């Protein structure tokens, strides 16, 4: 389990390879709007950039992609729609510094400043939004982010959030001094995510191989399909649903890769049947480039086949 401090240690690396946004001086202080404490399911209306930032943070906490996209500029929203689901979740995580979806609630401090609370099983964060500095169609708001277990305030992070008015609505513009430019980050993020999804595909192939052998040991044969390895809908595990892999792997698709299973080498002389496994990217160049193959002898191979299925002639994985 990660320590609580681990959730906050990477704040300075939230967004990389981005353009600096210089804040201008002489902003006018936004007048405060008083509201009462309320749950995120029915937050009291908060006008202006403070309300927009509050609702964006609520969406980021609960990892509600459609709601979060409402607070992106048109250019960033288009780029966000092209990102893989995993990349969209990763972006939202960076706004609340939490690794998993949380229970989001909204309230206000005694002078009416919005507070967003994001509760997960491991850690709960609280984000208090300060008054906005306004100039024309741009606003900057201080955001105090802290772990609720930190009673000393030792690890409070103060981040300046930028918003811009677009078509009469406030949209996210910057995180700290870093300009939120998703199109400029797509290539870099795709590369980083592909490395993760390719590694995950190899791990998944190994899990499937282990599950197939466990199935053979239990039922004396290989299953007809990956679906037979999945969890049962009702009752105890059985030959139709052995509960050896999760439901995603049982459907043959997980984390940007598709998985294929074929029985080969059955012998009339009584030798046990063997099988081959393959993993190919669902979106070549976005969720991965390499195709992976486990041959009938249990050797793993990998190569860039431009989305096609690999085979035993591909280079062996080290």
């Amino acid at each position: 389990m990660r320590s609580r401090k681990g959730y906050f240690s990477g704040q300075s690396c939230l967004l990389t390879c981005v353009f600096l946004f210089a804040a201008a001086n002489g902003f006018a202080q936004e007048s405060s709007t008083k509201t009462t404490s309320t749950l995120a399911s029915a937050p009291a209306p908060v006008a202006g950039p403070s309300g927009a930032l509050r609702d964006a943070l609520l969406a980021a906490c609960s990892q509600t992609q459609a709601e979060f996209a409402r607070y992106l500029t048109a250019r960033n929203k288009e780029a966000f729609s092209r990102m893989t689901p995993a990349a969209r979740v990763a972006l939202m995580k960076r706004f609340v510094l939490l690794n998993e979806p949380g229970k989001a609630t909204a309230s206000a401090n005694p002078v009416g400043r919005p507070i967003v609370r994001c509760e997960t099983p491991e850690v709960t964060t609280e984000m208090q939004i300060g008054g906005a500095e306004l100039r024309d169609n741009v606003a900057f708001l201080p955001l105090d982010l802290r772990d609720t277990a930190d009673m000393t305030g030792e690890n409070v992070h103060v981040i300046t959030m930028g918003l811009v008015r677009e078509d009469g609505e406030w949209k996210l513009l910057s995180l700290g001094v870093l300009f939120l430019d998703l199109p400029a980050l797509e290539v870099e993020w795709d590369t980083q995510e592909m490395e993760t999804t390719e590694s995950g595909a190899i791990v998944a192939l190994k899990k499937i191989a282990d599950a197939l052998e466990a199935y053979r040991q239990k039922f004396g044969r290989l299953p007809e399909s990956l679906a037979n390895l999945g969890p049962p809908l009702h009752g105890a595990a059985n030959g139709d649903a052995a509960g050896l892999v999760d439901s995603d792997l049982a459907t043959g698709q997980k984390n940007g890769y598709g998985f294929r299973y074929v029985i080969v080498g059955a012998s009339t002389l009584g030798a046990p049947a063997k099988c081959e496994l393959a993993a190919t990217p669902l979106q070549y160049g976005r969720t991965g480039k390499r195709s992976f193959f486990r041959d009938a002898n249990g050797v793993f191979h990998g190569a860039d086949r431009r989305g096609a299925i690999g085979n035993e002639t591909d280079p062996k994985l080290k």
Side-chain angles (χ1 to χ4, degrees):
M1 180 182 295
R2 297 179 59 186
S3 67
R4 293 179 182 273
K5 289 186 179 179
Y7 287 95
F8 298 91
S9 61
Q11 189 274 330
S12 62
C13 298
L14 293 174
L15 295 174
T16 58
C17 190
V18 294
F19 302 101
L20 291 178
F21 185 88
N25 294 323
F27 292 86
Q29 187 73 17
E30 177 197 20
S31 60
S32 62
T33 302
K34 291 190 177 182
T35 184
T36 58
S37 297
T38 179
L39 292 179
S41 57
V46 177
S50 295
L53 179 56
R54 180 200 65 177
D55 293 344
L57 292 173
L58 289 170
C61 169
S62 60
Q63 294 182 12
T64 308
Q65 297 183 16
E67 182 67 14
F68 182 78
R70 289 182 53 199
Y71 302 99
L72 297 175
T73 62
R75 183 169 179 265
N76 283 336
K77 185 176 182 179
E78 181 182 355
F80 187 74
S81 69
R82 292 195 301 266
M83 294 163 62
T84 62
R88 292 196 289 267
V89 168
L91 174 64
M92 290 185 289
K93 287 179 181 178
R94 299 179 187 199
F95 276 82
V96 292
L97 301 184
L98 293 174
N99 283 333
E100 55 187 318
K103 178 183 178 182
T105 55
S107 60
N109 69 8
V111 297
R113 301 295 187 198
I115 297 174
V116 173
R117 185 181 178 93
C118 190
E119 181 179 352
T120 73
E122 291 189 351
V123 65
T124 298
T125 60
E126 191 172 271
M127 294 157 278
Q128 181 167 308
I129 301 170
E133 293 182 328
L134 300 169
R135 183 175 179 180
D136 298 327
N137 290 320
V138 177
F140 290 94
L141 300 92
L143 178 70
D144 290 356
L145 190 153
R146 70 180 186 91
D147 181 347
T148 56
D150 177 18
M151 305 306 295
T152 65
E154 208 174 287
N155 294 309
V156 173
H157 289 264
V158 181
I159 309 167
T160 300
M161 306 292 293
L163 290 93
V164 62
R165 198 197 308 267
E166 183 178 87
D167 296 329
E169 297 182 346
W170 289 99
K171 308 292 184 179
L172 296 170
L173 177 66
S174 66
L175 182 60
V177 295
L178 302 178
F179 185 48
L180 188 62
D181 190 349
L182 299 191
L185 294 172
E186 277 189 283
V187 174
E188 180 186 349
W189 284 2
D190 283 347
T191 299
Q192 292 174 350
E193 187 180 359
M194 280 192 292
E195 292 175 356
T196 301
T197 55
E198 287 183 358
S199 297
I202 298 171
V203 171
L205 279 182
K206 293 179 179 178
K207 285 183 178 179
I208 293 172
D210 291 343
L212 288 169
E213 187 55 35
Y215 187 100
R216 188 205 298 271
Q217 294 295 324
K218 186 172 183 178
F219 299 103
R221 59 181 175 83
L222 288 172
E224 294 181 5
S225 71
L226 293 179
N228 300 133
L229 300 176
L233 294 178
H234 306 286
N238 54 68
D240 293 327
L244 296 171
V245 300
D246 61 38
S247 56
D248 288 335
L249 277 183
T251 64
Q253 292 188 6
K254 185 170 184 176
N255 294 339
Y257 265 78
F259 298 90
R260 175 176 173 267
Y261 156 65
V262 178
I263 298 175
V264 297
S267 171
T268 57
L269 301 178
K274 296 183 178 181
C275 65
E276 295 175 343
L277 297 172
T280 54
L282 295 175
Q283 292 179 274
Y284 176 78
R286 297 298 302 273
T287 61
K289 285 189 174 181
R290 289 189 295 168
S291 296
F292 301 104
F293 185 81
R294 182 187 182 273
D295 63 33
N297 295 316
V299 179
F300 288 85
H301 306 260
D304 184 348
R305 287 188 161 270
R306 304 195 67 80
I309 296 174
N311 59 49
E312 65 275 2
T313 65
D314 294 337
K316 296 180 181 179
L317 295 179
K318 296 181 180 180

